PDB file of all heavy atoms in Angstrom:
ATOM      1  N   THR Y  98     239.560  20.199 273.635  1.00 86.00           N
ATOM      2  CA  THR Y  98     240.434  21.264 273.925  1.00 86.00           C
ATOM      3  C   THR Y  98     240.340  21.896 275.284  1.00 86.00           C
ATOM      4  O   THR Y  98     241.089  22.685 275.815  1.00 86.00           O
ATOM      5  CB  THR Y  98     240.160  22.407 272.921  1.00 86.00           C
ATOM      6  OG1 THR Y  98     238.845  22.894 272.883  1.00 86.00           O
ATOM      7  CG2 THR Y  98     240.589  21.935 271.500  1.00 86.00           C
ATOM      8  N   GLU Y  99     239.184  21.506 275.994  1.00 82.00           N
ATOM      9  CA  GLU Y  99     238.991  21.915 277.412  1.00 82.00           C
ATOM     10  C   GLU Y  99     239.114  20.702 278.328  1.00 82.00           C
ATOM     11  O   GLU Y  99     238.788  19.573 277.977  1.00 82.00           O
ATOM     12  CB  GLU Y  99     237.527  22.559 277.567  1.00 82.00           C
ATOM     13  CG  GLU Y  99     237.316  23.784 276.741  1.00 82.00           C
ATOM     14  CD  GLU Y  99     235.968  24.390 276.869  1.00 82.00           C
ATOM     15  OE1 GLU Y  99     235.053  23.601 277.556  1.00 82.00           O
ATOM     16  OE2 GLU Y  99     235.646  25.505 276.421  1.00 82.00           O
ATOM     17  N   PHE Y 100     239.654  20.983 279.483  1.00 81.00           N
ATOM     18  CA  PHE Y 100     239.859  19.924 280.462  1.00 81.00           C
ATOM     19  C   PHE Y 100     239.350  20.314 281.801  1.00 81.00           C
ATOM     20  O   PHE Y 100     238.880  21.440 282.107  1.00 81.00           O
ATOM     21  CB  PHE Y 100     241.370  19.631 280.538  1.00 81.00           C
ATOM     22  CG  PHE Y 100     242.027  19.418 279.181  1.00 81.00           C
ATOM     23  CD1 PHE Y 100     242.776  20.384 278.563  1.00 81.00           C
ATOM     24  CD2 PHE Y 100     241.803  18.277 278.506  1.00 81.00           C
ATOM     25  CE1 PHE Y 100     243.258  20.278 277.311  1.00 81.00           C
ATOM     26  CE2 PHE Y 100     242.404  18.053 277.173  1.00 81.00           C
ATOM     27  CZ  PHE Y 100     243.123  19.149 276.646  1.00 81.00           C
ATOM     28  N   GLY Y 101     239.403  19.340 282.721  1.00 83.00           N
ATOM     29  CA  GLY Y 101     238.888  19.564 284.141  1.00 83.00           C
ATOM     30  C   GLY Y 101     237.536  18.910 284.264  1.00 83.00           C
ATOM     31  O   GLY Y 101     236.914  18.490 283.394  1.00 83.00           O
ATOM     32  N   LYS Y 102     237.104  18.963 285.571  1.00 84.00           N
ATOM     33  CA  LYS Y 102     235.829  18.316 285.887  1.00 84.00           C
ATOM     34  C   LYS Y 102     234.637  18.884 285.195  1.00 84.00           C
ATOM     35  O   LYS Y 102     233.653  18.261 284.694  1.00 84.00           O
ATOM     36  CB  LYS Y 102     235.618  18.299 287.439  1.00 84.00           C
ATOM     37  CG  LYS Y 102     236.540  17.388 288.183  1.00 84.00           C
ATOM     38  CD  LYS Y 102     236.353  17.362 289.705  1.00 84.00           C
ATOM     39  CE  LYS Y 102     237.332  16.476 290.365  1.00 84.00           C
ATOM     40  NZ  LYS Y 102     237.057  16.456 291.822  1.00 84.00           N
ATOM     41  N   GLY Y 103     234.589  20.273 285.111  1.00 88.00           N
ATOM     42  CA  GLY Y 103     233.471  20.964 284.515  1.00 88.00           C
ATOM     43  C   GLY Y 103     233.337  20.539 283.060  1.00 88.00           C
ATOM     44  O   GLY Y 103     232.305  20.394 282.482  1.00 88.00           O
ATOM     45  N   SER Y 104     234.468  20.592 282.373  1.00 88.00           N
ATOM     46  CA  SER Y 104     234.524  20.231 280.961  1.00 88.00           C
ATOM     47  C   SER Y 104     234.131  18.787 280.729  1.00 88.00           C
ATOM     48  O   SER Y 104     233.363  18.498 279.807  1.00 88.00           O
ATOM     49  CB  SER Y 104     235.996  20.453 280.379  1.00 88.00           C
ATOM     50  OG  SER Y 104     236.047  19.968 279.056  1.00 88.00           O
ATOM     51  N   ALA Y 105     234.551  17.852 281.599  1.00 88.00           N
ATOM     52  CA  ALA Y 105     234.259  16.484 281.521  1.00 88.00           C
ATOM     53  C   ALA Y 105     232.695  16.323 281.643  1.00 88.00           C
ATOM     54  O   ALA Y 105     232.005  15.478 280.914  1.00 88.00           O
ATOM     55  CB  ALA Y 105     234.900  15.642 282.494  1.00 88.00           C
ATOM     56  N   ARG Y 106     232.067  17.046 282.585  1.00 88.00           N
ATOM     57  CA  ARG Y 106     230.640  16.996 282.812  1.00 88.00           C
ATOM     58  C   ARG Y 106     229.837  17.538 281.581  1.00 88.00           C
ATOM     59  O   ARG Y 106     228.874  16.948 281.229  1.00 88.00           O
ATOM     60  CB  ARG Y 106     230.235  17.739 283.995  1.00 88.00           C
ATOM     61  CG  ARG Y 106     230.518  17.050 285.392  1.00 88.00           C
ATOM     62  CD  ARG Y 106     229.804  17.695 286.498  1.00 88.00           C
ATOM     63  NE  ARG Y 106     230.302  19.047 286.795  1.00 88.00           N
ATOM     64  CZ  ARG Y 106     231.273  19.322 287.554  1.00 88.00           C
ATOM     65  NH1 ARG Y 106     231.877  18.399 288.332  1.00 88.00           N
ATOM     66  NH2 ARG Y 106     231.653  20.591 287.817  1.00 88.00           N
ATOM     67  N   ARG Y 107     230.381  18.537 281.031  1.00 91.00           N
ATOM     68  CA  ARG Y 107     229.682  19.115 279.840  1.00 91.00           C
ATOM     69  C   ARG Y 107     229.814  18.047 278.590  1.00 91.00           C
ATOM     70  O   ARG Y 107     228.856  17.893 277.839  1.00 91.00           O
ATOM     71  CB  ARG Y 107     230.305  20.451 279.479  1.00 91.00           C
ATOM     72  CG  ARG Y 107     229.986  21.517 280.343  1.00 91.00           C
ATOM     73  CD  ARG Y 107     230.372  22.903 279.796  1.00 91.00           C
ATOM     74  NE  ARG Y 107     231.785  23.052 279.682  1.00 91.00           N
ATOM     75  CZ  ARG Y 107     232.544  23.582 280.627  1.00 91.00           C
ATOM     76  NH1 ARG Y 107     232.040  23.810 281.772  1.00 91.00           N
ATOM     77  NH2 ARG Y 107     233.839  23.624 280.481  1.00 91.00           N
ATOM     78  N   THR Y 108     230.987  17.369 278.524  1.00 90.00           N
ATOM     79  CA  THR Y 108     231.100  16.348 277.505  1.00 90.00           C
ATOM     80  C   THR Y 108     230.132  15.252 277.673  1.00 90.00           C
ATOM     81  O   THR Y 108     229.499  14.824 276.676  1.00 90.00           O
ATOM     82  CB  THR Y 108     232.558  15.901 277.502  1.00 90.00           C
ATOM     83  OG1 THR Y 108     233.496  16.956 277.279  1.00 90.00           O
ATOM     84  CG2 THR Y 108     232.762  14.768 276.438  1.00 90.00           C
ATOM     85  N   ARG Y 109     229.964  14.751 278.908  1.00 91.00           N
ATOM     86  CA  ARG Y 109     229.019  13.674 279.223  1.00 91.00           C
ATOM     87  C   ARG Y 109     227.620  14.090 278.965  1.00 91.00           C
ATOM     88  O   ARG Y 109     226.851  13.398 278.409  1.00 91.00           O
ATOM     89  CB  ARG Y 109     229.236  13.139 280.569  1.00 91.00           C
ATOM     90  CG  ARG Y 109     230.619  12.355 280.769  1.00 91.00           C
ATOM     91  CD  ARG Y 109     230.627  11.638 282.040  1.00 91.00           C
ATOM     92  NE  ARG Y 109     230.805  12.531 283.195  1.00 91.00           N
ATOM     93  CZ  ARG Y 109     232.043  12.907 283.657  1.00 91.00           C
ATOM     94  NH1 ARG Y 109     233.143  12.388 283.140  1.00 91.00           N
ATOM     95  NH2 ARG Y 109     232.083  13.687 284.724  1.00 91.00           N
ATOM     96  N   ARG Y 110     227.282  15.308 279.290  1.00 91.00           N
ATOM     97  CA  ARG Y 110     225.961  15.785 279.054  1.00 91.00           C
ATOM     98  C   ARG Y 110     225.601  15.893 277.591  1.00 91.00           C
ATOM     99  O   ARG Y 110     224.483  15.748 277.179  1.00 91.00           O
ATOM    100  CB  ARG Y 110     225.667  17.230 279.730  1.00 91.00           C
ATOM    101  CG  ARG Y 110     225.475  17.182 281.230  1.00 91.00           C
ATOM    102  CD  ARG Y 110     224.883  18.454 281.757  1.00 91.00           C
ATOM    103  NE  ARG Y 110     225.671  19.548 281.557  1.00 91.00           N
ATOM    104  CZ  ARG Y 110     226.568  20.005 282.397  1.00 91.00           C
ATOM    105  NH1 ARG Y 110     226.665  19.440 283.603  1.00 91.00           N
ATOM    106  NH2 ARG Y 110     227.326  21.103 282.130  1.00 91.00           N
ATOM    107  N   ALA Y 111     226.682  16.063 276.768  1.00 92.00           N
ATOM    108  CA  ALA Y 111     226.454  16.062 275.343  1.00 92.00           C
ATOM    109  C   ALA Y 111     226.418  14.719 274.759  1.00 92.00           C
ATOM    110  O   ALA Y 111     226.332  14.667 273.501  1.00 92.00           O
ATOM    111  CB  ALA Y 111     227.605  16.966 274.723  1.00 92.00           C
ATOM    112  N   GLY Y 112     226.427  13.678 275.534  1.00 93.00           N
ATOM    113  CA  GLY Y 112     226.280  12.356 275.073  1.00 93.00           C
ATOM    114  C   GLY Y 112     227.615  11.734 274.575  1.00 93.00           C
ATOM    115  O   GLY Y 112     227.605  10.792 273.706  1.00 93.00           O
ATOM    116  N   ARG Y 113     228.712  12.165 275.122  1.00 94.00           N
ATOM    117  CA  ARG Y 113     229.992  11.693 274.746  1.00 94.00           C
ATOM    118  C   ARG Y 113     230.808  11.363 275.992  1.00 94.00           C
ATOM    119  O   ARG Y 113     230.503  11.747 277.084  1.00 94.00           O
ATOM    120  CB  ARG Y 113     230.819  12.773 273.856  1.00 94.00           C
ATOM    121  CG  ARG Y 113     229.964  13.216 272.619  1.00 94.00           C
ATOM    122  CD  ARG Y 113     230.757  14.108 271.718  1.00 94.00           C
ATOM    123  NE  ARG Y 113     231.854  13.320 271.078  1.00 94.00           N
ATOM    124  CZ  ARG Y 113     231.707  12.591 269.982  1.00 94.00           C
ATOM    125  NH1 ARG Y 113     230.532  12.364 269.399  1.00 94.00           N
ATOM    126  NH2 ARG Y 113     232.759  11.958 269.474  1.00 94.00           N
ATOM    127  N   VAL Y 114     231.885  10.538 275.737  1.00 94.00           N
ATOM    128  CA  VAL Y 114     232.685  10.111 276.800  1.00 94.00           C
ATOM    129  C   VAL Y 114     234.144  10.667 276.717  1.00 94.00           C
ATOM    130  O   VAL Y 114     234.762  10.552 275.590  1.00 94.00           O
ATOM    131  CB  VAL Y 114     232.830   8.569 276.864  1.00 94.00           C
ATOM    132  CG1 VAL Y 114     233.695   8.108 277.951  1.00 94.00           C
ATOM    133  CG2 VAL Y 114     231.512   7.906 276.833  1.00 94.00           C
ATOM    134  N   PRO Y 115     234.639  11.378 277.676  1.00 95.00           N
ATOM    135  CA  PRO Y 115     235.964  11.916 277.609  1.00 95.00           C
ATOM    136  C   PRO Y 115     236.995  10.732 277.522  1.00 95.00           C
ATOM    137  O   PRO Y 115     236.707   9.711 278.147  1.00 95.00           O
ATOM    138  CB  PRO Y 115     236.196  12.685 278.928  1.00 95.00           C
ATOM    139  CG  PRO Y 115     234.802  12.895 279.374  1.00 95.00           C
ATOM    140  CD  PRO Y 115     233.951  11.828 278.957  1.00 95.00           C
ATOM    141  N   ALA Y 116     238.070  10.857 276.662  1.00 95.00           N
ATOM    142  CA  ALA Y 116     238.973   9.751 276.521  1.00 95.00           C
ATOM    143  C   ALA Y 116     240.376  10.275 276.163  1.00 95.00           C
ATOM    144  O   ALA Y 116     240.510  11.473 275.782  1.00 95.00           O
ATOM    145  CB  ALA Y 116     238.422   8.806 275.334  1.00 95.00           C
ATOM    146  N   VAL Y 117     241.373   9.460 276.221  1.00 95.00           N
ATOM    147  CA  VAL Y 117     242.715   9.744 275.825  1.00 95.00           C
ATOM    148  C   VAL Y 117     243.190   8.576 274.990  1.00 95.00           C
ATOM    149  O   VAL Y 117     242.735   7.405 275.144  1.00 95.00           O
ATOM    150  CB  VAL Y 117     243.712  10.007 276.889  1.00 95.00           C
ATOM    151  CG1 VAL Y 117     243.353  11.313 277.635  1.00 95.00           C
ATOM    152  CG2 VAL Y 117     243.755   8.795 277.898  1.00 95.00           C
ATOM    153  N   ILE Y 118     244.027   8.833 273.922  1.00 95.00           N
ATOM    154  CA  ILE Y 118     244.558   7.725 273.188  1.00 95.00           C
ATOM    155  C   ILE Y 118     246.057   7.973 273.080  1.00 95.00           C
ATOM    156  O   ILE Y 118     246.556   9.093 272.932  1.00 95.00           O
ATOM    157  CB  ILE Y 118     243.875   7.684 271.816  1.00 95.00           C
ATOM    158  CG1 ILE Y 118     244.327   6.516 271.044  1.00 95.00           C
ATOM    159  CG2 ILE Y 118     244.147   8.881 270.967  1.00 95.00           C
ATOM    160  CD1 ILE Y 118     243.528   6.223 269.673  1.00 95.00           C
ATOM    161  N   TYR Y 119     246.864   6.858 273.182  1.00 94.00           N
ATOM    162  CA  TYR Y 119     248.338   7.019 273.244  1.00 94.00           C
ATOM    163  C   TYR Y 119     248.952   5.625 272.738  1.00 94.00           C
ATOM    164  O   TYR Y 119     248.170   4.606 272.649  1.00 94.00           O
ATOM    165  CB  TYR Y 119     248.854   7.318 274.541  1.00 94.00           C
ATOM    166  CG  TYR Y 119     248.336   6.471 275.668  1.00 94.00           C
ATOM    167  CD1 TYR Y 119     249.003   5.286 276.084  1.00 94.00           C
ATOM    168  CD2 TYR Y 119     247.211   6.790 276.451  1.00 94.00           C
ATOM    169  CE1 TYR Y 119     248.536   4.453 277.052  1.00 94.00           C
ATOM    170  CE2 TYR Y 119     246.696   6.024 277.454  1.00 94.00           C
ATOM    171  CZ  TYR Y 119     247.394   4.792 277.727  1.00 94.00           C
ATOM    172  OH  TYR Y 119     246.898   3.995 278.757  1.00 94.00           O
ATOM    173  N   GLY Y 120     250.246   5.601 272.569  1.00 92.00           N
ATOM    174  CA  GLY Y 120     250.918   4.421 272.206  1.00 92.00           C
ATOM    175  C   GLY Y 120     251.709   4.573 270.911  1.00 92.00           C
ATOM    176  O   GLY Y 120     251.536   5.485 270.202  1.00 92.00           O
ATOM    177  N   HIS Y 121     252.625   3.568 270.726  1.00 90.00           N
ATOM    178  CA  HIS Y 121     253.582   3.585 269.622  1.00 90.00           C
ATOM    179  C   HIS Y 121     254.221   4.895 269.354  1.00 90.00           C
ATOM    180  O   HIS Y 121     254.452   5.444 268.282  1.00 90.00           O
ATOM    181  CB  HIS Y 121     252.740   3.256 268.355  1.00 90.00           C
ATOM    182  CG  HIS Y 121     252.463   1.784 268.207  1.00 90.00           C
ATOM    183  ND1 HIS Y 121     253.397   0.858 267.742  1.00 90.00           N
ATOM    184  CD2 HIS Y 121     251.366   1.120 268.503  1.00 90.00           C
ATOM    185  CE1 HIS Y 121     252.786  -0.334 267.680  1.00 90.00           C
ATOM    186  NE2 HIS Y 121     251.560  -0.227 268.257  1.00 90.00           N
ATOM    187  N   GLY Y 122     254.710   5.489 270.529  1.00 87.00           N
ATOM    188  CA  GLY Y 122     255.509   6.703 270.464  1.00 87.00           C
ATOM    189  C   GLY Y 122     254.745   7.957 270.173  1.00 87.00           C
ATOM    190  O   GLY Y 122     255.389   9.025 270.096  1.00 87.00           O
TER     191      GLY Y 122
END
C-alpha cells in the first residue's frame, strides 16, 4: 500500500521483493 524508493527499501530490508502482477485484463 506504500510506494516510492523509501517504501521499496523498507520492503527489501524486511526480506521481501517489491513486485507487480498484471495481465488478462
Side-chain angles (χ1 to χ4, degrees):
T98 57
E99 296 182 351
F100 310 101
K102 293 183 178 179
S104 173
R106 283 195 293 268
R107 287 192 293 273
T108 299
R109 289 191 287 270
R110 282 199 297 268
R113 303 187 68 82
V114 183
V117 293
I118 187 170
Y119 53 86
H121 281 278

